Amino acid sequence: MDKKKVLLVDDSVAIATQLKRIIEDSGAFEVVGHAKNGIEGIKLYTSLKPDIVCMDLIMPEMDGLQAIRAIMSLNKEAKIVVISSAAGVGDKVMEAIKFGAKNVISKPFEAETIIGILKSL
Amino acid sequence: MAVKFFGQYLLEKNIIKPEQLIQAVDYQESRKLKFGEYALSKGYLTEKDIARIQAEQRRTDMKFGELAVKLEIITPAQVEEILTMQKNDHIFIGQAMVEKGFLTSQVLERELALFKADQSRYISEEITIPQGVDNPEIIKNIVDLTQKMLLRMAYLNVKLGSGYLSNKEPEKNFLLVSVHLHGSIQYHYAVSASQEMSKLIASKIIGEDIEDMTREVIADGVKEFCNIVCGNIIAKIAQKGKTVDISPPMEMVYSDKGYQLLKGKNAVYYPIVSPKGDLMLIVVQE
């Protein structure tokens, strides 16, 4: 079975490195790109056409909420999962899911939570 | 494993779907009495005010809070505070989900117990706050969550030194990372760390020991640590009804004028000691 393609959008290289390892170790996914802000995220979404996007919220240049909105306007079927330190803030979560995010995972996270949610999409 | 609000906790556990969370929050917000109860408990409205708003509401389709503002009974800031409290209140959001048929009472009861046990790790412990500090409860949350996240993410069981107020710029160190917290309250959260501590934190964030880590990678790891701590801090502050946002973390540059972090303002300094090295937590009061 083909592995699902995942795009990471997070300004932290450290977190992206950890996420890539967790996601690829599951054997079900392949990380095809890493964008460091929302603008790069939209560009890579368009060029790489990933199956799933893991999106941080707090980023320079363009934040995750704006990027979710832009990606959802490009593809209403896009599967975006927010992974953010601000996931405990009700307003942020509500905005993210109203814009179309499929789930919201808080940082720090557990590997099994990430994989469980990605597999459920 | 972080400060959460109950709706997100249920979402993350795949117990509810995102559209159900949206519907439950809308339903909760539409229940004017709940808003009134909160406002009453905060002393922002009287029973008479509530009756007047409800009477007025029959003639309009405005939400309870909006109407209360229009009638100049309550301020927009007070409405925002109540709505923020409501969204973060796990009991009411849970009830809304049961009433909407998204959860059974049994599942709610079970998940609330698990949620409370998970979140009990984030209840602030006794921390001495120096005299003259504004919002001591918030400073307590900031210090406490920093300590807890050092344990949770870097496996560091740290000891907290005595906190003190100072308007002196921090001393030069390998790394000083700052995060701006802005909204209904304003702070600069900063961590000053030695090279050894910075490397340790970065390697734990990445999840593996990397030999010859570049300075950029180390700084990135410490910045992400500060970002995670501050994200959890604003979640904790949201539970108190305050809306605060954070900016991406920044590495401060040392010059002949020092770091220029305080710029003459006061900061609370907390030395954090561990067997692996020391840190300084600095919270600048805006």
Side-chain angles (χ1 to χ4, degrees), chain A residues 10-19 21-22 34 36 56-61 63 65 82-111 113-114 116-121, chain B residues 1-5 7-8 11-14 16-19 21-23 25-26 29 80 83-84 87-88 122 149 152-153 202 204-208 210 216-217 220-221 224 227-232 234-236 238-239 243-249:
Chain A
D10 196 309
D11 57 331
S12 168
V13 175
I15 282 289
T17 308
Q18 191 190 14
L19 276 173
R21 198 187 51 253
I22 291 170
H34 169 215
K36 287 178 153 185
D56 188 15
L57 289 183
I58 299 151
M59 292 182 288
E61 316 270 338
D63 68 22
L65 289 174
V82 169
I83 304 178
S84 171
S85 64
V89 181
D91 282 341
K92 297 250 183 231
V93 174
M94 296 314 296
E95 268 189 278
I97 61 176
K98 279 181 182 169
F99 288 161
K102 301 285 181 236
N103 212 316
V104 181
I105 301 171
S106 53
K107 287 182 186 171
F109 47 71
E110 301 294 331
T113 307
I114 302 278
I117 287 172
L118 295 193
K119 282 185 174 170
S120 72
L121 294 175
Chain B
M1 298 296 271
V3 178
K4 295 172 182 182
F5 97 99
Q8 183 258 333
L11 199 61
E12 196 178 282
K13 286 188 80 178
N14 265 336
I16 55 159
K17 298 194 180 316
E19 49 277 16
L21 179 56
I22 294 172
Q23 285 180 42
V25 170
D26 285 348
E29 281 178 15
E80 195 185 312
L83 290 177
T84 308
K87 271 189 201 128
N88 287 281
Y122 300 102
M149 289 297 169
R152 160 75 181 86
M153 289 192 288
K204 298 297 180 193
I205 295 284
I206 297 167
E208 59 188 86
I210 298 173
E216 196 189 354
V217 172
D220 181 89
E224 185 58 17
N227 173 50
I228 294 175
V229 176
C230 289
N232 281 269
I234 62 168
K236 197 82 187 166
Q239 291 172 355
T243 310
V244 181
D245 219 328
I246 54 175
S247 299

Side-chain angles (χ1 to χ4, degrees), chain A residues 39-57:
Chain A
I39 296 171
E40 273 184 37
I42 298 164
K43 282 184 189 160
L44 287 185
Y45 181 81
T46 314
S47 60
L48 299 172
K49 299 186 172 49
D51 301 299
I52 298 168
V53 181
C54 292
M55 179 77 74
D56 188 15
L57 289 183

Side-chain angles (χ1 to χ4, degrees), chain B residues 151-163:
Chain B
L151 179 61
R152 160 75 181 86
M153 289 192 288
Y155 310 109
L156 277 173
N157 210 343
V158 296
K159 196 165 176 277
L160 194 65
S162 297

Side-chain angles (χ1 to χ4, degrees), chain B residues 33-135:
Chain B
L33 195 62
K34 288 280 185 262
F35 185 102
E37 281 171 6
Y38 273 101
L40 205 60
S41 73
K42 296 288 291 181
Y44 296 155
L45 294 179
T46 61
E47 297 276 6
K48 210 172 146 190
D49 292 329
I50 292 172
R52 186 181 155 205
I53 297 162
Q54 283 173 333
E56 197 68 31
Q57 223 176 0
R58 290 183 201 112
R59 291 195 285 271
T60 165
D61 60 355
M62 285 175 84
K63 285 186 174 173
F64 189 90
E66 287 168 358
L67 195 55
V69 171
K70 195 184 164 202
L71 295 169
E72 296 182 348
I73 301 173
I74 198 168
T75 68
Q78 287 169 333
V79 171
E80 195 185 312
E81 182 183 339
I82 289 166
L83 290 177
T84 308
M85 282 172 76
Q86 263 187 320
K87 271 189 201 128
N88 287 281
D89 192 324
H90 47 271
I91 295 170
F92 288 116
I93 189 76
Q95 276 172 357
M97 289 195 192
V98 171
E99 285 174 30
K100 291 291 288 178
F102 303 148
L103 290 182
T104 62
S105 302
Q106 289 85 347
V107 171
L108 172 63
E109 205 174 307
R110 182 193 72 207
E111 291 304 324
L112 262 180
L114 290 170
F115 176 73
K116 283 178 182 167
D118 178 72
Q119 295 296 291
S120 66
R121 288 177 286 179
Y122 300 102
I123 293 171
S124 287
E125 286 162 12
E126 216 38 67
I127 289 165
T128 312
I129 305 294
Q131 289 285 320
V133 169
D134 296 335
N135 296 314

